[in-house]
Amino acid sequence: MIGTFENRIFMPVLTCLNMRILQLHCDNIEYTPTKKEIKSAEDIVDLQTQRLEELVVVFVAIENGDDSSVAQNAISQIKASMEKIGCKKLLLYPYAHLSSNLAKPSTAMNLLKEMEDGASELEVSHSPFGWTKSYKIQVKGHPLAESSKVVTKDSSGLKDDNEITSDALKGESKIRSYWKILSTDGTMTNIGDFDFSKHKKLEVLAKYESAKIRKVDQPPPHVALMKKMGIADYEPASDSGNMRFYPNGRLIKSLIERYVTDRVKEYGGYEVETPIMYDSEHPSMVSYFNRFPARQYNIDSEGKKLFLRFAACFGQFLMANEYQLSYKTLPYKLYELTRYSFRREQSGELVGLRRLRAFTMPDCHAFCKDMPQAIDEIKTRFDLSQSVLKELGIDETDYDMAIRFTEDFYNENKSSIEELVKKHGRPVLVEMWKEKFFYFVLKWEFNFIDGLGKASALSTDQIDVENGKRYGIDFVDENNVKQNPIILHNSPSGAIERIIYALLEKAAKDSREGRKPQFPLWLSPTQVRIIPIKEEFDEFVEILAERISINNVRVDIDDRNESIGKRIREAEKEWIRYILVIGEKEANSQNLNIRDRQTGDVREISFDDFITEINEQTRGKPFTGLNLPKYLSKRPNLMV
RNA sequence: GCCAAUGUAGCUCAGCCUGGUAGAGCAAUUGAUUUGUAAUCAAUAGGUCAUGGGUUCAGAUCCCGUCAUUGGCUCCA
């Protein structure tokens, strides 16, 4: 799986055997018992409406398995938080709907009584047990007014629901890692001793990762650009972090997707497609969750608790399970471009295209027979990733490399690790773990550093030594013995949205530094814009556009009734590389006068030379036609 | 998720402090103009001032809640 530093455990709500409480600090509450819900309901005399003011209301669901210690635990935690908010009146409100695994009514009533007794120093009461009640409640507005909790037998007891973490994760903060810089000659230097003067971006990355130093006070420029260029935007009717892509954005994204997929297939990955949702209670998922947490979207459907995938791993592992693998067929590589993978990232983390809740991720797993084969393979994939980024328009100076491994793995594979660093050609940031904590023994990634000093990972690969076994994937080795493969998890480009983010941030930087921002030509929504000077050239222009477009070039025509100056200005604002102004002179000539945005000059060139010049720049890249009307007069403006 | 800032026409923003007729530029529409390499001219239309409450004779403006975006924290592909 890619992205192991997601630190939230999945905790199926229905399987918790703990008291669940919802605590509200209220101005007032009014409730009226209406009718008995169960036979064993509490006997009460007073059926009048009760009204209480300035109090804490605690809705309680007592679950199967709760006992006296849980009740004591709960009440002492409630008392502690009431002291914090300075409130002395408490109403315990039995509320079965917080749980679907309720305790027997008799047990519940006893525990409720026990809680009430445990708070005798407060003004405490409870609403009748087992009755249907109507109620009206006014909750206060301060931040501590509302909290929901799960109380366990454990003495540490009470935690906010979303703070529950697995043992594995609790341990994560105790991981001992050493941050170093590994140079191309194999020397390891402490970060404090390293001379960063020639490696500014690496310094940013090192500080970002190890010391958490960041300084930014403005929105990332790509957010305005993605709207202005008609690429992508927020979709208010969806959840945060789920973007809409306009025609220009879809065209760019689709071309990048196709390019990455082509490259992975060329490398030997076989493209598959797997479901986007899985049953969290399916046996193959249960143990996985306890080890590989990510916050995810959950869906309840016909009694199943489904979740949206946060990576392509499960699908490919389950599929690999169906193969009869032999050492002779390894390494075997499965690949999927997930549209989408979902991670319910914390809302405060989401910015433009940099970090999303729904994203498109190329994910290629290689199943290898042993460590030497895995190491061999990871080198090939390293080259692939470097080359893919370069061809996408992100060159080596735009990113820096981080590599993480266990101390044991380093000692046994020093030369291979150094070889990766040499391929990168510059010093890299190292995180070395004293012991294996995650499912992998090595992970490297390329981090794009944007103009504001923000680092985000693009390409990555990992050597996974656990999931083969966990998923029961096996192959037969040379000695006819079943073994579990070592699995590599590679994304050669990282998330596609993040590539677009990187390209836009690069463009913004160019613009800031006085250069003209530009997409790589093969990704430009319009590659050539034709501007006829007068209507009388319309027919000539139509034919010219056709001649250009059959050579796999995206060409459009600005036939609007606007001045030449204005139309050129707008083409420039769309970052269109080539502009052809067509008038008398051109209509009577074999040559074209092209305005080249890269130089800003107008030059005369023959038709064939022009096509050749374009095709040379787009060679080896996928092509698709215009994704907007050919005539600008037919094109509504997108004002975002 | 926590802390903070922001939310006014399709877009960018002014007005808010000090409550009393909703404002500009760009875009759109219509008309004129037929243009030679980064903005032709004129007219018209366009707004429950994010949203829900509160205070007030009166709320875009003051107060509170909610939602969204952005920054920081935490986190990371």
Side-chain angles (χ1 to χ4, degrees):
Chain A
M1 183 174 79
I2 294 166
T4 45
F5 294 87
E6 304 281 4
N7 291 332
R8 302 294 167 166
I9 185 73
F10 175 80
M11 180 68 77
V13 168
L14 291 179
T15 60
C16 287
L17 301 177
N18 302 310
M19 182 181 294
R20 309 183 76 84
I21 65 180
L22 176 64
Q23 184 180 324
L24 303 171
H25 189 198
C26 303
D27 291 326
N28 59 65
I29 182 169
E30 274 178 30
Y31 66 88
T32 318
T34 51
K35 73 172 218 268
K36 278 193 183 183
E37 216 164 40
I38 52 173
K39 244 190 194 155
S40 53
E42 203 175 339
D43 287 326
I44 48 169
V45 277
D46 192 358
L47 290 175
Q48 294 304 302
T49 295
Q50 305 290 318
R51 184 184 168 90
L52 296 164
E53 311 246 354
E54 280 304 314
L55 78 163
V56 166
V57 177
V58 174
F59 292 93
V60 192
I62 292 159
E63 297 201 311
N64 212 346
D66 289 349
D67 60 16
S68 175
S69 72
V70 177
Q72 294 298 336
N73 219 330
I75 197 67
S76 69
Q77 297 294 335
I78 291 168
K79 283 195 287 191
S81 72
M82 284 178 69
E83 192 165 336
K84 220 187 267 175
I85 54 181
C87 181
K88 291 205 157 46
K89 197 189 292 182
L90 173 65
L91 175 68
L92 295 171
Y93 197 113
Y95 201 74
H97 316 289
L98 291 172
S99 168
S100 55
N101 184 32
L102 291 167
K104 282 189 298 197
S106 55
T107 317
M109 260 198 278
N110 286 338
L111 292 180
L112 203 61
K113 183 83 175 67
E114 197 168 324
M115 287 172 73
E116 198 171 340
D117 293 344
S120 50
E121 71 271 30
L122 300 171
E123 190 183 325
V124 60
S125 58
H126 74 273
S127 61
F129 188 93
W131 285 73
T132 306
K133 301 168 281 265
S134 68
Y135 68 95
K136 216 164 99 183
I137 190 164
Q138 172 76 41
V139 182
K140 290 184 181 295
H142 65 81
L144 294 175
E146 299 170 290
S147 67
S148 85
K149 294 161 189 192
V150 176
V151 187
T152 64
K153 286 186 187 186
D154 171 19
S155 59
S156 65
L158 192 111
K159 312 162 193 165
D160 282 351
D161 261 3
N162 55 13
E163 281 176 7
I164 295 171
T165 51
S166 70
D167 290 344
L169 290 172
K170 279 183 215 148
E172 198 197 350
S173 54
K174 294 180 206 139
I175 302 177
R176 286 167 58 204
S177 32
Y178 304 92
W179 295 93
K180 307 264 188 186
I181 300 295
L182 179 55
S183 300
T184 46
D185 60 4
T187 53
M188 282 269 206
T189 317
N190 288 325
I191 286 183
D193 302 332
F194 188 79
D195 175 13
F196 282 107
S197 56
K198 285 183 188 148
H199 307 283
K200 286 296 176 200
K201 284 186 175 172
L202 184 63
E203 182 175 24
V204 171
L205 178 64
K207 293 196 167 152
Y208 199 84
E209 285 293 335
S210 62
K212 313 288 185 194
I213 295 172
R214 292 149 217 206
K215 49 159 203 265
V216 183
D217 53 358
Q218 48 184 310
H222 83 276
V223 176
L225 282 179
M226 77 186 186
K227 299 180 185 196
K228 215 172 79 189
M229 303 305 289
I231 290 172
D233 202 354
Y234 302 106
E235 173 49 73
S238 182
D239 190 23
S240 311
N242 288 255
M243 310 303 272
R244 57 156 77 123
F245 284 82
Y246 296 113
N248 283 348
R250 182 59 214 144
L251 178 135
I252 291 170
K253 186 158 175 267
S254 151
L255 288 170
I256 297 174
E257 288 170 2
R258 278 172 56 191
Y259 180 70
V260 175
T261 300
D262 287 349
R263 291 296 305 271
V264 174
K265 286 175 73 176
E266 189 185 298
Y267 146 75
Y270 302 111
E271 189 180 11
V272 299
E273 185 170 323
T274 62
I276 65 163
M277 63 177 82
Y278 294 85
D279 183 346
S280 60
E281 284 160 0
H282 187 276
S284 60
M285 290 296 149
V286 172
S287 70
Y288 193 80
F289 274 131
N290 289 325
R291 187 81 166 120
F292 306 113
R295 298 170 137 224
Q296 67 286 122
Y297 285 111
N298 294 310
I299 300 172
D300 283 345
S301 173
E302 295 185 329
K304 280 190 180 175
K305 298 198 77 70
L306 303 169
F307 69 96
L308 298 181
R309 66 174 171 202
F310 39 92
C313 304
F314 344 107
Q316 289 179 29
F317 293 170
L318 292 167
M319 190 180 277
N321 230 336
E322 306 291 326
Y323 281 96
Q324 281 191 309
L325 296 170
S326 137
Y327 72 96
K328 293 178 189 166
T329 58
L330 301 184
Y332 196 76
K333 302 142 201 168
L334 293 177
Y335 165 78
E336 181 168 6
L337 182 83
T338 66
R339 210 161 87 207
Y340 291 100
S341 287
F342 297 89
R343 294 183 196 172
R344 219 166 40 79
E345 302 292 357
Q346 298 185 90
S347 53
E349 300 303 324
L350 306 165
V351 198
L353 293 170
R354 196 163 81 88
R355 192 164 182 74
L356 296 167
R357 284 184 170 175
F359 55 97
T360 308
M361 183 68 124
D363 206 345
C364 179
H365 294 91
F367 302 90
C368 303
K369 64 179 176 141
D370 52 22
M371 192 55 84
Q373 188 175 67
I375 289 174
D376 230 37
E377 202 58 34
I378 209 168
K379 290 174 190 166
T380 311
R381 293 147 68 96
F382 190 93
D383 294 341
L384 172 69
S385 303
Q386 270 187 326
S387 158
V388 164
L389 284 188
K390 189 178 174 63
E391 294 298 317
L392 288 174
I394 297 165
D395 42 34
E396 284 133 42
T397 56
D398 293 321
Y399 59 84
D400 266 290
M401 176 175 162
I403 189 164
R404 304 153 201 265
F405 37 71
T406 61
E407 191 166 15
D408 288 348
F409 186 85
Y410 175 65
N411 289 331
E412 288 158 24
N413 300 283
K414 255 186 196 172
S415 66
S416 293
I417 288 173
E418 285 166 20
E419 198 179 321
L420 291 183
V421 177
K422 279 208 187 79
K423 282 175 186 289
H424 179 59
R426 278 172 293 147
V428 308
L429 175 67
V430 168
E431 181 179 13
M432 186 151 73
W433 297 302
K434 202 73 190 158
E435 22 192 307
K436 177 163 75 84
F437 191 80
F438 301 101
Y439 57 82
F440 48 82
V441 291
L442 176 139
K443 170 186 177 172
W444 64 258
E445 84 244 356
F446 293 144
N447 289 277
F448 178 79
I449 314 287
D450 70 21
L452 302 173
K454 288 266 194 183
S456 7
L458 296 171
S459 321
T460 177
D461 206 351
Q462 305 163 0
I463 304 180
D464 170 357
V465 295
E466 285 185 9
N467 280 313
K469 187 166 184 208
R470 178 169 292 110
Y471 272 78
I473 302 166
D474 44 40
F475 68 95
V476 181
D477 75 5
E478 293 90 330
N479 305 314
N480 203 21
V481 176
K482 275 196 175 180
Q483 295 222 34
N484 302 118
I486 290 172
I487 305 173
L488 304 182
H489 302 232
N490 172 230
S491 185
S493 64
I496 305 298
E497 292 85 353
R498 200 169 266 189
I499 295 291
I500 299 175
Y501 144 80
L503 291 174
L504 288 173
E505 287 291 332
K506 266 173 70 87
K509 185 175 172 227
D510 284 344
S511 181
R512 229 181 5 253
E513 294 172 0
R515 294 182 299 272
K516 286 186 174 174
Q518 190 92 55
F519 283 120
L521 190 60
W522 68 283
L523 290 175
S524 302
T526 294
Q527 293 166 322
V528 178
R529 162 83 34 98
I530 303 181
I531 301 178
I533 286 178
K534 283 194 226 172
E535 278 168 21
E536 62 180 276
F537 303 115
D538 281 1
E539 200 185 329
F540 178 83
V541 157
E542 165 89 46
I543 293 165
L544 176 63
E546 188 55 33
R547 285 172 65 209
I548 295 174
S549 118
I550 55 168
N551 287 287
N552 281 357
V553 175
R554 285 183 291 275
V555 53
D556 59 21
I557 301 167
D558 190 348
D559 59 333
R560 295 172 306 162
N561 178 12
E562 299 285 356
S563 68
I564 301 299
K566 178 157 182 176
R567 284 182 283 170
I568 285 171
R569 177 178 154 82
E570 295 198 353
E572 290 278 351
K573 280 168 69 182
E574 287 180 54
W575 302 353
I576 293 169
R577 172 72 189 274
Y578 298 109
I579 300 171
L580 309 183
V581 176
I582 301 298
E584 204 94 34
K585 206 162 62 186
E586 288 74 15
N588 298 317
S589 156
Q590 293 304 307
N591 289 345
L592 298 167
N593 279 307
I594 65 168
R595 189 182 209 275
D596 185 342
R597 184 156 185 273
Q598 208 156 68
T599 56
D601 297 335
V602 179
R603 61 193 149 100
E604 191 170 338
I605 186 172
S606 78
F607 180 86
D608 290 342
D609 287 350
F610 182 47
I611 297 297
T612 306
E613 178 175 331
I614 293 173
N615 287 345
E616 266 170 19
Q617 295 173 77
T618 57
R619 182 175 301 139
K621 301 296 195 309
F623 172 80
T624 186
L626 273 185
N627 200 28
L628 288 169
K630 180 164 72 171
Y631 289 101
L632 267 77
S633 63
K634 303 285 183 204
R635 203 179 279 187
N637 269 2
L638 188 58
M639 291 305 295
V640 283

